Structure formats: C-alpha cells, structure tokens
Amino acid sequence: VQLQASGGGLVQAGGSLRLSCTASGLRISNYHMGWFRQAPGKEREFVGVSRRSGSTAVLSDAVKGRFTISRENLKNTVYLRMNGLKPEDTAVYYCAASTSVMLSAPSYYGYWGQGTLVTVSS
C-alpha cells in the first residue's frame, strides 16, 4: 500500500494550494481518507477527513471555512483544497487511510503517505 501526497509548496499568506493524495494497493472507496499536519516541534494535528460514505467531510475548527476535502474514487485520489492560507498553516501535510470511526485520531489510521511540505509566508 502506498499513499502519495503532492502539491505542497511555498505560498504567500492569503493564497491557495491544492494537495492531492493518490493511493495504490488499496481502494479509497473502502476507507475514510484523512488529512493531518505537523508543524516543527508540534504534535500531528487532525485537519479533516473524507468519509468513505461520501458524506460531508469533517474539518477541524482551525481550517473550517478555508479548507475543503473531496475525493475521486475512480482516480483513487483525495484532495485537500486550502484557501486563505495563514502562516500558522505551515506544516508537513499527510494523508492517511482508516476504517475506524475514530476519524480525528492519528493512531486509528493504518496507512500514511510520506507528507508534503506547505510553507506560508507572511
């Protein structure tokens, strides 16, 4: 199983990025697909999750209203669209796959991508 995250980069505050996470070795239609981030010196933080049911994505309060999550099951890919980026959004962003109902807990995700760095300059 491999989750390949891409799309990170350097962006100015207020800008936008779209991260992609393409899976191989598993079908994302069978999994809740989560996004997490980890800033230097901080713990990994839940960003949001696209549930396998296809129902409305769950987003953390820190990003609600600015970020959206979508998925294309036929492409086996999940996306994190980030608008209105702030310097505090700077982190390595990870995608992960889970079958647990504990959607915001990293320990319940069995598969992880390698991460993609997002840097937001002020």
Side-chain angles (χ1 to χ4, degrees):
V1 174
Q2 187 174 13
L3 301 179
Q4 182 69 44
S6 61
L10 174 64
V11 63
Q12 288 187 332
S16 299
L17 282 175
R18 189 182 77 161
L19 306 184
S20 300
C21 174
T22 299
S24 57
L26 63 79
R27 297 174 63 178
I28 69 166
S29 58
N30 294 326
Y31 290 83
H32 309 302
M33 298 299 296
W35 285 97
F36 295 80
R37 64 187 182 185
Q38 189 165 19
K42 295 188 176 181
E43 292 188 353
R44 194 162 294 189
E45 174 190 16
F46 172 75
V47 174
V49 61
S50 169
R51 288 177 282 203
R52 60 186 175 184
S53 65
S55 58
T56 303
V58 177
L59 293 162
S60 70
D61 289 343
V63 306
K64 199 174 294 182
R66 298 188 297 123
F67 291 11
T68 58
I69 297 176
S70 60
R71 62 164 68 202
E72 289 190 78
N73 286 340
L74 290 180
K75 293 185 177 181
N76 228 25
T77 299
V78 62
Y79 304 98
L80 177 65
R81 176 69 179 182
M82 306 184 293
N83 297 325
L85 282 161
K86 305 175 182 180
E88 51 263 44
D89 294 318
T90 294
V92 176
Y93 283 72
Y94 299 88
C95 61
S98 173
T99 57
S100 170
V101 297
M102 302 299 288
L103 299 176
S104 64
S107 60
Y108 286 88
Y109 285 75
Y111 301 104
W112 288 84
Q114 85 289 357
T116 184
L117 177 63
V118 172
T119 304
V120 184
S121 63
S122 57

